[in-house]
Amino acid sequence: MSANKTYTVAVVGATGAVGGAMLEVLERRNFPVGELRLLASERSKGKTLAFKGEEIPVQVLGRDSFAGVDIALFSAGASRSLEFAPAAAEAGAVVVDNSSAFRMEEDIPLVVPEVNPEAIGQYTNRGIIANPNCSTIQMVVALKPIYDAAGIRRIVVSTYQAVSGSGASAIRELDRQTRQYARGEEMEITVYPYQIAFNCLPHIDVFLDNGYTKEEMKMVNETRKIFGDPEIGVTATTVRVPVFYGHSESVNVETKNKLSAEEARRLLAGAPGVEVVDDPFNKQYPLAIHCQGRFETFVGRIREDESIANGLNLWIVADNILKGAALNAVQIAEVLIDKYL
Ligand code: NAP
Ligand code: 3JN
């Protein structure tokens, strides 16, 4: 990257929960944006969004939206990615796609910069880089130093996922249901199959023939691809909880070689993107309410699993819209401009 070079960046799905966070992260990290092209659906015609103190008009996404674009950050859902990401790549943009559309395709890199930045170079295959699912991202950031030090045989994870993972309409739904409950009114249910206020739903994305949800199988398959290790056993239970921002995860990991809790704590404290918060006797552990707006993945409750020889338990929390989506995508774009564009 030359000192004063700037890049034309398109944000597809700019009016959404993730798209809005993309603008925030580009601004907070001072990404060298020259032109910013904001793209969304017909519904957003006439809207403007603020970036660096300027109001930028939202344009309607089309196949001709990408002329002159260097980097296209997609977060408008998998069907929009399938339809428009190849057109963007064809027009010369490098696409960083937040959807599940291309994640498991062999020739498309699936990247978490703290874990497998070297995979970014494979963008030349199809002009597309996939951003993993939010629940996968924060887990692999925390497991990377453990994987490198002791190897990983098996992971058992249960998630506690915030409603912001389901988009802007779900954030409004939790807010509305909470107010309706407080006023003694009947709760209106539109986004989830049941009320989400004061409830936990063991159901994220659709159910598959094996009894798992698609979200759970994303965690299994994406973790193996990012570590480049198809032998890791992964089993997941993903749960939606009435939290606005911040996914929490209880992770049990069986390592190949023994790693003490103390050693794991030391390794995690030095790992990129990780902040250890682990002083339980002083009530210090990661919390969703503390991670909102933060870039780090927080890890605490680090304990040895006393039921097996080589086991650890961790509690991992991150802002699902930032590290789980927008920040990870912008970090990929930073490596792209630093090393490749
Ligand atoms: P959201 O708040 O509902 O926003 C959806 C965005 O997509 C809006 O900007 C919307 O534009 C746009 N859009 C929808 N249909 C469109 C169309 N036909 N043409 C152009 N734009 C269209 O959802 P979100 O939470 O931001 O999530 C968006 C996507 O990001 C998800 O579907 C998912 O694929 C991905 N995502 C990934 C992660 C992750 O784990 N990495 C997490 C969350 C989301 P309008 O405002 O004009 O309707
Ligand atoms: O539910 C969450 O907390 C994360 C949601 C992610 C999501 C939502 C809608 C569609 C995805 C994803 O990134 O896997 C998708 C999708 O692209 O399949």
Side-chain angles (χ1 to χ4, degrees), residues 169-170 172-174 176-178 180-181 185-199 201:
S169 58
R172 289 194 294 272
E173 178 123 325
L174 175 58
R176 191 181 56 244
Q177 288 181 355
T178 307
Q180 285 168 334
Y181 175 84
E185 295 168 6
E186 196 177 329
M187 288 183 220
E188 205 182 320
I189 297 166
T190 62
V191 175
Y192 298 113
Y194 299 94
Q195 78 182 57
I196 184 60
F198 314 102
N199 203 5
L201 304 176

mmCIF file of all heavy atoms in Angstrom, residues 169-170 172-174 176-178 180-181 185-199 201:
data_model
loop_
_atom_site.group_PDB
_atom_site.id
_atom_site.type_symbol
_atom_site.label_atom_id
_atom_site.label_comp_id
_atom_site.label_asym_id
_atom_site.label_seq_id
_atom_site.Cartn_x
_atom_site.Cartn_y
_atom_site.Cartn_z
ATOM 1 N N SER A 169 -34.479 -5.838 12.064
ATOM 2 C CA SER A 169 -35.880 -6.090 12.456
ATOM 3 C C SER A 169 -35.947 -6.853 13.781
ATOM 4 O O SER A 169 -36.875 -6.677 14.571
ATOM 5 C CB SER A 169 -36.608 -6.862 11.361
ATOM 6 O OG SER A 169 -35.917 -8.068 11.121
ATOM 7 N N ALA A 170 -34.954 -7.711 14.062
ATOM 8 C CA ALA A 170 -34.946 -8.483 15.313
ATOM 9 C C ALA A 170 -34.571 -7.598 16.503
ATOM 10 O O ALA A 170 -35.064 -7.806 17.621
ATOM 11 C CB ALA A 170 -33.976 -9.654 15.194
ATOM 12 N N ARG A 172 -35.425 -4.506 16.727
ATOM 13 C CA ARG A 172 -36.696 -3.796 17.017
ATOM 14 C C ARG A 172 -37.677 -4.732 17.733
ATOM 15 O O ARG A 172 -38.397 -4.320 18.626
ATOM 16 C CB ARG A 172 -37.308 -3.272 15.707
ATOM 17 C CG ARG A 172 -36.531 -2.109 15.086
ATOM 18 C CD ARG A 172 -37.332 -1.409 13.994
ATOM 19 N NE ARG A 172 -37.567 -2.273 12.847
ATOM 20 C CZ ARG A 172 -36.732 -2.394 11.806
ATOM 21 N NH1 ARG A 172 -35.627 -1.688 11.754
ATOM 22 N NH2 ARG A 172 -37.014 -3.208 10.808
ATOM 23 N N GLU A 173 -37.671 -6.015 17.359
ATOM 24 C CA GLU A 173 -38.627 -6.971 17.953
ATOM 25 C C GLU A 173 -38.364 -7.180 19.446
ATOM 26 O O GLU A 173 -39.292 -7.177 20.260
ATOM 27 C CB GLU A 173 -38.553 -8.318 17.223
ATOM 28 C CG GLU A 173 -39.470 -9.388 17.812
ATOM 29 C CD GLU A 173 -40.442 -9.965 16.810
ATOM 30 O OE1 GLU A 173 -40.904 -9.205 15.933
ATOM 31 O OE2 GLU A 173 -40.734 -11.165 16.896
ATOM 32 N N LEU A 174 -37.097 -7.335 19.846
ATOM 33 C CA LEU A 174 -36.798 -7.518 21.279
ATOM 34 C C LEU A 174 -37.171 -6.249 22.054
ATOM 35 O O LEU A 174 -37.759 -6.318 23.132
ATOM 36 C CB LEU A 174 -35.316 -7.869 21.487
ATOM 37 C CG LEU A 174 -34.877 -7.960 22.951
ATOM 38 C CD1 LEU A 174 -35.683 -8.997 23.731
ATOM 39 C CD2 LEU A 174 -33.375 -8.278 23.061
ATOM 40 N N ARG A 176 -39.452 -4.008 21.208
ATOM 41 C CA ARG A 176 -40.918 -3.864 21.239
ATOM 42 C C ARG A 176 -41.550 -4.842 22.226
ATOM 43 O O ARG A 176 -42.387 -4.472 23.047
ATOM 44 C CB ARG A 176 -41.475 -4.092 19.824
ATOM 45 C CG ARG A 176 -42.953 -3.719 19.671
ATOM 46 C CD ARG A 176 -43.467 -3.984 18.256
ATOM 47 N NE ARG A 176 -43.254 -5.378 17.882
ATOM 48 C CZ ARG A 176 -42.453 -5.773 16.895
ATOM 49 N NH1 ARG A 176 -41.785 -4.894 16.182
ATOM 50 N NH2 ARG A 176 -42.324 -7.057 16.619
ATOM 51 N N GLN A 177 -41.102 -6.112 22.186
ATOM 52 C CA GLN A 177 -41.702 -7.112 23.084
ATOM 53 C C GLN A 177 -41.428 -6.776 24.549
ATOM 54 O O GLN A 177 -42.274 -6.984 25.418
ATOM 55 C CB GLN A 177 -41.157 -8.510 22.753
ATOM 56 C CG GLN A 177 -41.699 -9.060 21.441
ATOM 57 C CD GLN A 177 -41.167 -10.453 21.126
ATOM 58 O OE1 GLN A 177 -40.308 -11.001 21.835
ATOM 59 N NE2 GLN A 177 -41.669 -11.045 20.044
ATOM 60 N N THR A 178 -40.229 -6.247 24.832
ATOM 61 C CA THR A 178 -39.894 -5.887 26.217
ATOM 62 C C THR A 178 -40.816 -4.770 26.704
ATOM 63 O O THR A 178 -41.330 -4.810 27.825
ATOM 64 C CB THR A 178 -38.414 -5.441 26.296
ATOM 65 O OG1 THR A 178 -37.617 -6.456 25.708
ATOM 66 C CG2 THR A 178 -37.964 -5.237 27.734
ATOM 67 N N GLN A 180 -43.810 -4.083 25.443
ATOM 68 C CA GLN A 180 -45.181 -4.617 25.520
ATOM 69 C C GLN A 180 -45.368 -5.391 26.821
ATOM 70 O O GLN A 180 -46.378 -5.269 27.496
ATOM 71 C CB GLN A 180 -45.463 -5.505 24.290
ATOM 72 C CG GLN A 180 -45.682 -4.672 23.029
ATOM 73 C CD GLN A 180 -45.677 -5.491 21.742
ATOM 74 O OE1 GLN A 180 -45.058 -6.558 21.672
ATOM 75 N NE2 GLN A 180 -46.360 -4.989 20.720
ATOM 76 N N TYR A 181 -44.345 -6.184 27.189
ATOM 77 C CA TYR A 181 -44.421 -6.952 28.446
ATOM 78 C C TYR A 181 -44.558 -5.989 29.630
ATOM 79 O O TYR A 181 -45.404 -6.186 30.508
ATOM 80 C CB TYR A 181 -43.154 -7.805 28.591
ATOM 81 C CG TYR A 181 -43.087 -8.545 29.902
ATOM 82 C CD1 TYR A 181 -43.737 -9.767 30.069
ATOM 83 C CD2 TYR A 181 -42.403 -8.003 30.999
ATOM 84 C CE1 TYR A 181 -43.695 -10.438 31.283
ATOM 85 C CE2 TYR A 181 -42.355 -8.663 32.211
ATOM 86 C CZ TYR A 181 -43.004 -9.882 32.346
ATOM 87 O OH TYR A 181 -42.965 -10.537 33.549
ATOM 88 N N GLU A 185 -49.102 -5.691 27.863
ATOM 89 C CA GLU A 185 -49.796 -5.939 26.592
ATOM 90 C C GLU A 185 -49.359 -7.287 26.006
ATOM 91 O O GLU A 185 -48.302 -7.811 26.360
ATOM 92 C CB GLU A 185 -49.431 -4.841 25.573
ATOM 93 C CG GLU A 185 -49.907 -3.470 25.968
ATOM 94 C CD GLU A 185 -49.282 -2.360 25.111
ATOM 95 O OE1 GLU A 185 -48.563 -2.668 24.118
ATOM 96 O OE2 GLU A 185 -49.487 -1.190 25.461
ATOM 97 N N GLU A 186 -50.140 -7.776 25.061
ATOM 98 C CA GLU A 186 -49.748 -9.005 24.364
ATOM 99 C C GLU A 186 -48.530 -8.708 23.487
ATOM 100 O O GLU A 186 -48.450 -7.641 22.869
ATOM 101 C CB GLU A 186 -50.904 -9.478 23.485
ATOM 102 C CG GLU A 186 -50.729 -10.920 23.046
ATOM 103 C CD GLU A 186 -51.917 -11.401 22.226
ATOM 104 O OE1 GLU A 186 -53.026 -10.909 22.485
ATOM 105 O OE2 GLU A 186 -51.705 -12.235 21.348
ATOM 106 N N MET A 187 -47.579 -9.646 23.452
ATOM 107 C CA MET A 187 -46.374 -9.400 22.645
ATOM 108 C C MET A 187 -46.625 -9.785 21.195
ATOM 109 O O MET A 187 -47.163 -10.849 20.922
ATOM 110 C CB MET A 187 -45.204 -10.223 23.184
ATOM 111 C CG MET A 187 -44.680 -9.696 24.478
ATOM 112 S SD MET A 187 -43.266 -10.680 24.979
ATOM 113 C CE MET A 187 -43.582 -10.769 26.719
ATOM 114 N N GLU A 188 -46.171 -8.904 20.317
ATOM 115 C CA GLU A 188 -46.304 -9.159 18.881
ATOM 116 C C GLU A 188 -45.090 -9.992 18.440
ATOM 117 O O GLU A 188 -43.952 -9.639 18.780
ATOM 118 C CB GLU A 188 -46.255 -7.787 18.214
ATOM 119 C CG GLU A 188 -46.913 -7.650 16.893
ATOM 120 C CD GLU A 188 -46.690 -6.225 16.395
ATOM 121 O OE1 GLU A 188 -46.769 -5.277 17.228
ATOM 122 O OE2 GLU A 188 -46.387 -6.082 15.215
ATOM 123 N N ILE A 189 -45.337 -11.084 17.712
ATOM 124 C CA ILE A 189 -44.244 -11.975 17.283
ATOM 125 C C ILE A 189 -44.166 -11.960 15.765
ATOM 126 O O ILE A 189 -45.112 -12.377 15.091
ATOM 127 C CB ILE A 189 -44.492 -13.409 17.793
ATOM 128 C CG1 ILE A 189 -44.490 -13.424 19.327
ATOM 129 C CG2 ILE A 189 -43.454 -14.386 17.236
ATOM 130 C CD1 ILE A 189 -45.039 -14.688 19.936
ATOM 131 N N THR A 190 -43.036 -11.451 15.220
ATOM 132 C CA THR A 190 -42.925 -11.415 13.754
ATOM 133 C C THR A 190 -41.637 -12.066 13.246
ATOM 134 O O THR A 190 -41.622 -12.664 12.184
ATOM 135 C CB THR A 190 -42.980 -9.962 13.212
ATOM 136 O OG1 THR A 190 -41.866 -9.248 13.749
ATOM 137 C CG2 THR A 190 -44.265 -9.250 13.602
ATOM 138 N N VAL A 191 -40.539 -11.970 14.020
ATOM 139 C CA VAL A 191 -39.238 -12.420 13.485
ATOM 140 C C VAL A 191 -38.951 -13.881 13.828
ATOM 141 O O VAL A 191 -38.552 -14.670 12.966
ATOM 142 C CB VAL A 191 -38.099 -11.519 14.011
ATOM 143 C CG1 VAL A 191 -36.736 -12.049 13.575
ATOM 144 C CG2 VAL A 191 -38.273 -10.085 13.525
ATOM 145 N N TYR A 192 -39.126 -14.255 15.095
ATOM 146 C CA TYR A 192 -38.800 -15.617 15.551
ATOM 147 C C TYR A 192 -40.082 -16.435 15.704
ATOM 148 O O TYR A 192 -41.178 -15.870 15.790
ATOM 149 C CB TYR A 192 -38.053 -15.532 16.896
ATOM 150 C CG TYR A 192 -36.740 -14.779 16.805
ATOM 151 C CD1 TYR A 192 -36.568 -13.559 17.454
ATOM 152 C CD2 TYR A 192 -35.684 -15.285 16.053
ATOM 153 C CE1 TYR A 192 -35.366 -12.865 17.364
ATOM 154 C CE2 TYR A 192 -34.488 -14.588 15.951
ATOM 155 C CZ TYR A 192 -34.335 -13.381 16.608
ATOM 156 O OH TYR A 192 -33.148 -12.706 16.506
ATOM 157 N N PRO A 193 -39.968 -17.766 15.807
ATOM 158 C CA PRO A 193 -41.186 -18.574 15.937
ATOM 159 C C PRO A 193 -41.898 -18.374 17.279
ATOM 160 O O PRO A 193 -43.084 -18.690 17.405
ATOM 161 C CB PRO A 193 -40.682 -20.007 15.786
ATOM 162 C CG PRO A 193 -39.210 -19.970 15.852
ATOM 163 C CD PRO A 193 -38.753 -18.585 15.583
ATOM 164 N N TYR A 194 -41.198 -17.890 18.292
ATOM 165 C CA TYR A 194 -41.784 -17.634 19.611
ATOM 166 C C TYR A 194 -41.288 -16.272 20.087
ATOM 167 O O TYR A 194 -40.376 -15.703 19.505
ATOM 168 C CB TYR A 194 -41.344 -18.704 20.629
ATOM 169 C CG TYR A 194 -41.780 -20.088 20.237
ATOM 170 C CD1 TYR A 194 -40.929 -20.924 19.520
ATOM 171 C CD2 TYR A 194 -43.060 -20.547 20.570
ATOM 172 C CE1 TYR A 194 -41.340 -22.187 19.133
ATOM 173 C CE2 TYR A 194 -43.473 -21.812 20.187
ATOM 174 C CZ TYR A 194 -42.619 -22.628 19.470
ATOM 175 O OH TYR A 194 -43.033 -23.865 19.081
ATOM 176 N N GLN A 195 -41.857 -15.782 21.205
ATOM 177 C CA GLN A 195 -41.341 -14.519 21.751
ATOM 178 C C GLN A 195 -39.866 -14.708 22.108
ATOM 179 O O GLN A 195 -39.452 -15.793 22.537
ATOM 180 C CB GLN A 195 -42.139 -14.097 22.989
ATOM 181 C CG GLN A 195 -41.772 -14.857 24.252
ATOM 182 C CD GLN A 195 -42.597 -14.455 25.454
ATOM 183 O OE1 GLN A 195 -43.811 -14.525 25.420
ATOM 184 N NE2 GLN A 195 -41.924 -14.037 26.519
ATOM 185 N N ILE A 196 -39.075 -13.661 21.898
ATOM 186 C CA ILE A 196 -37.653 -13.713 22.272
ATOM 187 C C ILE A 196 -37.438 -12.992 23.601
ATOM 188 O O ILE A 196 -36.523 -13.348 24.356
ATOM 189 C CB ILE A 196 -36.735 -13.176 21.145
ATOM 190 C CG1 ILE A 196 -35.255 -13.323 21.528
ATOM 191 C CG2 ILE A 196 -37.067 -11.736 20.766
ATOM 192 C CD1 ILE A 196 -34.783 -14.716 21.778
ATOM 193 N N ALA A 197 -38.297 -12.036 23.942
ATOM 194 C CA ALA A 197 -38.146 -11.353 25.239
ATOM 195 C C ALA A 197 -38.349 -12.387 26.348
ATOM 196 O O ALA A 197 -39.298 -13.177 26.307
ATOM 197 C CB ALA A 197 -39.175 -10.235 25.365
ATOM 198 N N PHE A 198 -37.440 -12.401 27.329
ATOM 199 C CA PHE A 198 -37.548 -13.294 28.504
ATOM 200 C C PHE A 198 -37.605 -14.770 28.095
ATOM 201 O O PHE A 198 -38.308 -15.576 28.712
ATOM 202 C CB PHE A 198 -38.779 -12.906 29.357
ATOM 203 C CG PHE A 198 -38.871 -11.431 29.578
ATOM 204 C CD1 PHE A 198 -39.764 -10.655 28.853
ATOM 205 C CD2 PHE A 198 -38.018 -10.805 30.470
ATOM 206 C CE1 PHE A 198 -39.809 -9.284 29.024
ATOM 207 C CE2 PHE A 198 -38.061 -9.433 30.650
ATOM 208 C CZ PHE A 198 -38.954 -8.672 29.928
ATOM 209 N N ASN A 199 -36.887 -15.129 27.045
ATOM 210 C CA ASN A 199 -36.945 -16.501 26.543
ATOM 211 C C ASN A 199 -35.602 -16.857 25.912
ATOM 212 O O ASN A 199 -34.790 -15.987 25.615
ATOM 213 C CB ASN A 199 -38.053 -16.599 25.489
ATOM 214 C CG ASN A 199 -38.563 -18.013 25.305
ATOM 215 O OD1 ASN A 199 -38.164 -18.928 26.038
ATOM 216 N ND2 ASN A 199 -39.432 -18.204 24.342
ATOM 217 N N LEU A 201 -34.207 -19.434 22.701
ATOM 218 C CA LEU A 201 -34.695 -20.279 21.601
ATOM 219 C C LEU A 201 -33.558 -21.155 21.077
ATOM 220 O O LEU A 201 -32.594 -20.631 20.508
ATOM 221 C CB LEU A 201 -35.218 -19.403 20.460
ATOM 222 C CG LEU A 201 -36.306 -18.381 20.796
ATOM 223 C CD1 LEU A 201 -36.638 -17.523 19.579
ATOM 224 C CD2 LEU A 201 -37.559 -19.101 21.279
#
